[in-house]
Amino acid sequence: MTTDVLSRVFAALADPTRRDMVARLSEGDATVSQLAAPYGISLQAVYKHLRVLEDAGLVSRPRGPQPRQVRLEVEALDLMDTWIERHRDRVEQRYRRLDAVLAEMKGQEHGQDHGDRDRGGPEAAGHPDDS
């Protein structure tokens, strides 16, 4: 079964170390040693994290002699952004519809309050229980 790209991206970013690596790479390219520096984990563990990020299309390492720069690939972030924005738009539309319904209900509620007074409701014409 083939996992779609978006699922691989979200799965890769589920790990806080990988999210931090992506955040750091958003500032600029870095070598594996530079990426490994703040973590206190082995280079082998860093390479495993990078492999997951590469498989998801989030980073790339050009072929060639060491040290190679790790580069953040914006296409995967664009894919996530498109997916998130589509769902954000749907949610915002739902909230706008809810706001409209609530405003309409509030308007009807105010209309009934004013209508009672205009028709001579209990407030306007001394109600028998008011004595």
Side-chain angles (χ1 to χ4, degrees):
M1 182 167 135
T2 305
T3 306
D4 68 287
V5 175
L6 190 59
S7 294
R8 287 194 310 264
V9 170
F10 280 119
L13 293 174
D15 183 273
T17 301
R18 290 192 289 265
R19 281 194 310 270
D20 187 61
M21 286 179 175
V22 167
R24 291 177 52 223
L25 288 169
S26 71
E27 299 292 323
D29 297 354
T31 65
V32 175
S33 297
Q34 290 169 329
L35 284 174
Y39 300 117
I41 57 177
S42 69
L43 278 178
Q44 182 180 4
V46 171
Y47 277 109
K48 285 183 180 182
H49 282 298
L50 287 174
R51 178 69 180 179
V52 172
L53 292 171
E54 283 179 306
D55 288 347
L58 284 161
V59 301
S60 64
R61 289 184 294 155
R63 302 216 183 265
Q66 299 287 355
R68 295 182 288 174
Q69 295 284 310
V70 179
R71 172 175 290 128
L72 186 61
E73 296 297 331
V74 73
E75 293 84 13
L77 298 177
D78 288 343
L79 180 65
M80 283 179 31
D81 189 47
T82 301
W83 185 87
I84 290 168
E85 284 305 313
R86 179 174 7 119
H87 293 286
R88 180 190 319 272
D89 289 345
R90 287 179 183 171
V91 170
E92 287 176 356
Q93 287 173 6
R94 283 189 13 232
Y95 282 129
R96 283 193 296 272
R97 286 193 307 265
L98 178 60
D99 287 344
V101 167
L102 292 174
E104 183 180 325
M105 289 172 63
K106 190 173 183 178
Q108 289 174 356
E109 191 176 276
H110 286 303
Q112 288 177 346
D113 289 347
H114 295 304
D116 287 344
R117 280 188 230 119
D118 293 340
R119 288 192 307 256
E123 303 87 28
H127 193 273
D129 292 335
D130 288 344
S131 2

